[in-house]
Amino acid sequence: MVVGNGMVGARFAEEVRRRDPEAARVHLTVLGAEPRPAYNRVLLSTVLAGGLSPRSVQLHPTGWAAAQRIDLRIGTTVTGIDARRRRVHLDGGGVEPYDELVLATGSRAWLPPVPGLADPTVTAFRDLADCERILAAVRPGVRFAVLGGGLLGCEAARGLAARGVAVTLVHPESHLMERQLEPDAGAVLAATMRRLGIDVRLATAVACWERDVGLRCADGSIVAADALVVATGVRPETGLAEAAGLTTDRGVVVDDRLATSAEHVSAIGDCARHPGSVSGLVQPGWEQAAVLADRLAAADPTARYLGTPAVTRLKARDVDLATVGDPADLIDDDNEVLRFTDTAGGRYAAVALRGDRLVGGAMIGLPQAAAAMVQFYDAGIPAPTDRLRLLLGRALPPEHRDQTDPELSLGQTIICRCNSVTKDGVIDAVAHGCTTVAALSRVTRAGTGCGGCLERLTAMLTWAVGTDPIGEPAAGGDTSRNGRYEVTEQNPAHQTDALAPAGPH
Ligand SMILES: Cc1cc2nc3c(=O)[nH]c(=O)nc-3n(C[C@H](O)[C@H](O)[C@H](O)COP(=O)(O)OP(=O)(O)OC[C@H]3O[C@@H](n4cnc5c(N)ncnc54)[C@H](O)[C@@H]3O)c2cc1C
């Protein structure tokens, strides 16, 4: 039984059915509070910006769950867990037994205690219903305020500005994205956002929201606006777990088996806290879903989740921003830190090195250097003695230099980060007859996350279909194409090297 039909709960159900397609071993029930089938939450920023329709982000075609023999109950909220008796309580009074329970309850938007936020002109930015409400308010002449200058607030502000409405981004901290960026980088981002027509107000505490007025700030000023989007952070949804007595600590605590402190209860995705990953990104959740499906549906007691390196990208048109690792590494005195700031030119680069390894970094307006930074981080490539080359994106050793070239890149190069799909994974899928992006996505799932890899995926597919890259068996491994495919695609999180691939997204 799965609680939560979000990106990770739905993926877990898929993974189970990949391992048990005839439903011979696993009876699957998925309970989801949202009144609609699962959809791609990551793409909501693109929906807001007008790049996709709300309907197009649904994860599965209508009727998919029934065809997969999944007892999917949407609009059903679990209100309590009785871990001792192995059953859950539902809103409406029902009680359902389980053998194994998987918590995939995700995160919820956190709203600050500011008066006026319950007004209908105020919307959080977490789910499709929020997105539809925001879009319903977009019309000529409307003025939006976005409260919160973190990743989602910046994406929301840029998306709304792209629709041609006036946007003021109000952030209580002194620089944007302070969880990922240092002050200098935040200043470059703010300058870039301003150049794109967004009015950015920093270090601005808000007193209240007043309909027909706007945001009243603590210093007495007013941000005139007709609608407010609140993007002030998320919190892992741990209420059910806490009430059931499970160990929580900014998430439901899980071990490498993704088991919680209660027997027969596991947790994955945003709601789970594993020491090797950060909450709030889809890649760790999808890797966890595959590992847990191996343990529960393929009866593989050795299945372990070992963590996922953190790579973040801002999905905002004309703003190229990527970060790797922990931002604290950029201010750690024990690290060697290199910086370059060009506020007027909208460019910023910073990397933190421990010994000769890149452990953290941020890049704005430097796509090539950002791609190289991700490769250094992912693959643990030793940094060159000429450090300046790192900031210029010219430091990759020859064997890693051509990672954007479909032919010359290494087999371990990541093509789709959300789904941990490598070049080798694409080649194997082509060997199985995938000759279109749609077929490739169906089999490997590449391109089904944030969609940022579609161009590279198409280039890789074009090359792989036009050549015969698997004419020779893979050296030192299972030489059957089928065998290789099983390893690279189905169990990515099991492979230590699958967790440290090279290549940008
Ligand atoms: C606008 C936006 C942009 C994003 N962009 C990116 C990005 O570029 N890259 C990236 O990696 N991540 C991004 N994320 C984060 C990503 O969407 C999440 O990491 C991912 O959705 C986590 O999946 P999940 O299934 O754990 O949680 P969710 O997708 O939040 O799903 C949890 C589900 O559980 C349901 N639920 C909760 N409690 C109960 C209950 N008691 N009973 C029944 N159902 C319940 C909820 O209603 C929800 O449907 C973005 C998020 C947003 C909002």
Side-chain angles (χ1 to χ4, degrees):
M1 178 169 293
V2 184
V3 187
N5 187 37
M7 292 189 77
V8 175
R11 173 58 69 90
F12 174 75
E14 264 182 48
E15 296 285 4
V16 167
R17 279 294 169 257
R18 284 194 167 200
R19 288 154 181 78
D20 180 29
E22 302 302 323
R25 281 172 284 130
V26 184
H27 179 88
L28 251 182
T29 303
V30 180
L31 308 170
E34 288 185 69
R36 58 175 96 225
Y39 57 88
N40 187 333
R41 199 177 301 281
V42 167
L43 293 178
L44 292 184
S45 305
T46 316
V47 172
L48 201 64
L52 287 168
S53 72
R55 278 180 63 85
S56 66
V57 296
Q58 196 168 307
L59 284 175
H60 304 117
T62 309
W64 174 84
Q68 294 287 318
R69 295 178 223 197
I70 296 168
D71 179 7
L72 170 64
R73 303 189 213 165
I74 57 176
T76 302
T77 303
V78 174
T79 54
I81 302 168
D82 183 343
R84 201 171 53 82
R85 293 199 182 96
R86 285 206 232 171
R87 56 195 203 180
V88 295
H89 296 265
L90 309 181
D91 57 346
V95 177
E96 291 284 337
Y98 64 80
D99 297 311
E100 291 289 340
L101 185 69
V102 177
L103 297 177
T105 50
S107 308
R108 74 188 127 80
W110 178 80
L111 267 59
V114 170
L117 297 192
D119 192 81
T121 51
V122 179
T123 315
F125 186 33
R126 178 68 197 168
D127 58 31
L128 197 47
D130 294 334
C131 210
E132 285 167 341
R133 267 196 302 276
I134 297 168
L135 290 179
V138 173
R139 55 184 183 278
V142 75
R143 298 160 307 169
F144 268 90
V146 175
L147 179 57
L151 196 96
L152 285 192
C154 289
E155 288 187 4
R158 177 66 188 114
L160 286 165
R163 283 184 175 265
V165 299
V167 184
T168 307
L169 178 59
V170 180
H171 193 44
E173 304 297 330
S174 55
H175 71 276
L176 293 176
M177 285 183 60
E178 77 284 351
R179 282 186 56 207
Q180 285 87 10
L181 301 178
E182 317 164 81
D184 283 359
V188 172
L189 177 59
T192 304
M193 299 287 269
R194 285 182 180 124
R195 270 196 296 276
L196 292 167
I198 297 158
D199 178 12
V200 181
R201 310 243 182 130
L202 298 169
T204 304
V206 296
C208 65
W209 169 257
E210 275 178 42
R211 198 197 296 200
D212 300 327
V213 177
L215 267 178
R216 235 177 241 289
C217 303
D219 62 6
S221 65
I222 289 175
V223 173
D226 310 297
L228 175 67
V229 177
V230 183
T232 43
V234 295
R235 300 285 182 271
E237 188 62 79
T238 56
L240 273 181
E242 274 164 32
L246 274 61
T247 306
T248 61
D249 172 17
R250 289 165 293 153
V252 185
V253 174
V254 293
D255 60 18
D256 291 353
R257 295 171 309 134
L258 300 162
T260 69
S261 59
E263 274 189 65
H264 304 288
V265 183
S266 309
I268 51 178
D270 275 12
C271 72
R273 181 160 170 81
H274 181 278
S277 70
V278 291
S279 170
L281 294 175
V282 76
Q283 186 195 7
W286 279 354
E287 289 186 346
Q288 291 164 1
V291 171
L292 190 60
D294 274 342
R295 183 161 73 79
L296 298 182
D300 174 5
T302 63
R304 292 287 182 276
Y305 172 73
L306 302 175
T308 309
V311 176
T312 314
R313 277 178 190 279
L314 190 72
K315 302 186 303 302
R317 211 173 70 206
D318 306 320
V319 191
D320 201 291
L321 186 157
T323 70
V324 297
D326 186 342
D329 281 321
L330 288 169
I331 47 168
D332 185 337
D333 288 341
D334 290 339
N335 293 336
E336 178 189 346
V337 179
L338 313 167
R339 279 193 189 81
F340 163 79
T341 308
D342 169 18
T343 311
R347 295 181 300 179
Y348 172 88
V351 291
L353 302 167
R354 203 169 296 147
D356 64 0
R357 299 296 147 141
L358 192 152
V359 292
M363 300 263 173
I364 304 174
L366 295 163
Q368 257 183 329
M373 169 185 76
V374 173
Q375 274 177 264
F376 273 98
Y377 176 72
D378 270 347
I381 304 166
T385 37
D386 178 3
R387 303 295 209 224
L388 180 62
R389 296 172 70 82
L390 270 178
L391 300 184
L392 297 173
R394 294 194 197 133
L396 284 169
E399 67 275 23
H400 289 276
R401 229 168 251 165
D402 300 305
Q403 299 308 290
T404 50
D405 183 309
E407 181 169 4
L408 300 177
S409 52
L410 301 176
Q412 281 303 310
T413 301
I414 286 210
I415 306 300
C416 170
R417 179 169 295 280
C418 295
N419 286 287
S420 312
V421 178
T422 60
K423 170 180 169 177
D424 278 345
V426 173
I427 291 172
D428 281 336
V430 170
H432 279 72
C434 296
T435 53
T436 62
V437 170
L440 192 62
S441 292
R442 215 166 25 248
V443 171
T444 65
R445 298 182 178 120
T448 60
C450 73
C453 63
L454 283 171
E455 208 175 300
R456 293 188 74 207
L457 197 60
T458 308
M460 185 61 74
L461 181 72
T462 308
W463 166 76
V465 169
T467 60
D468 183 13
I470 45 153
E472 296 294 319
D478 179 347
T479 52
S480 88
R481 291 172 179 183
N482 198 34
R484 265 180 74 206
Y485 177 69
E486 290 288 313
V487 170
T488 52
E489 204 282 320
Q490 291 236 331
N491 309 315
H494 285 199
Q495 318 292 313
T496 347
D497 46 357
L499 291 177
H505 191 142

